[in-house]
Amino acid sequence: MALNAELNVLKHEMVPEHSIMSEEDVKSLFSLYNIGQEHLPKLYHDDPAVLAIGARINDVIKIVRKSMTAGRAESYRQVVKRPKK
């Protein structure tokens, strides 16, 4: 039996939906919350979900999780380069 060497982390039930936001959507987000890109939490460029969706450094990622209280919870992250050790 051959195993598939490629694993798509986004298909795992524990991984929430990840998507790259358009430039227009990012501007709307910043305007809505009166913030800048420096205010977003960070997500490293080599994160498996970031690699799976093809995001690049400085992209803003929208993450949608199922929430028992809210039904749906959205969060946003900026892709940054992982610092060298």
Side-chain angles (χ1 to χ4, degrees):
M1 178 169 84
L3 294 176
N4 185 355
E6 292 293 318
L7 172 68
N8 185 346
V9 297
L10 297 176
K11 294 194 184 283
H12 193 282
E13 66 183 45
M14 298 298 291
V15 177
E17 175 188 335
H18 288 63
S19 60
I20 302 170
M21 295 182 66
S22 70
E23 206 171 300
E24 182 178 306
D25 289 340
V26 171
K27 287 180 184 177
S28 295
L29 173 73
F30 292 165
S31 176
L32 177 65
Y33 293 109
N34 195 28
I35 60 171
Q37 198 157 356
E38 67 277 3
H39 296 107
L40 293 176
K42 310 301 184 230
L43 189 61
Y44 290 133
H45 76 286
D46 57 356
D47 181 280
V50 170
L51 295 173
I53 63 173
R56 297 180 176 193
I57 294 171
N58 290 323
D59 281 347
V60 176
I61 305 300
K62 178 179 179 179
I63 302 171
V64 180
R65 293 181 171 85
K66 293 178 186 173
S67 168
M68 291 180 66
T69 55
R72 170 185 162 108
E74 295 180 0
S75 60
Y76 306 92
R77 305 281 186 272
Q78 176 188 3
V79 179
V80 297
K81 185 172 178 71
R82 181 182 297 275
K84 294 184 180 183
K85 293 182 181 180

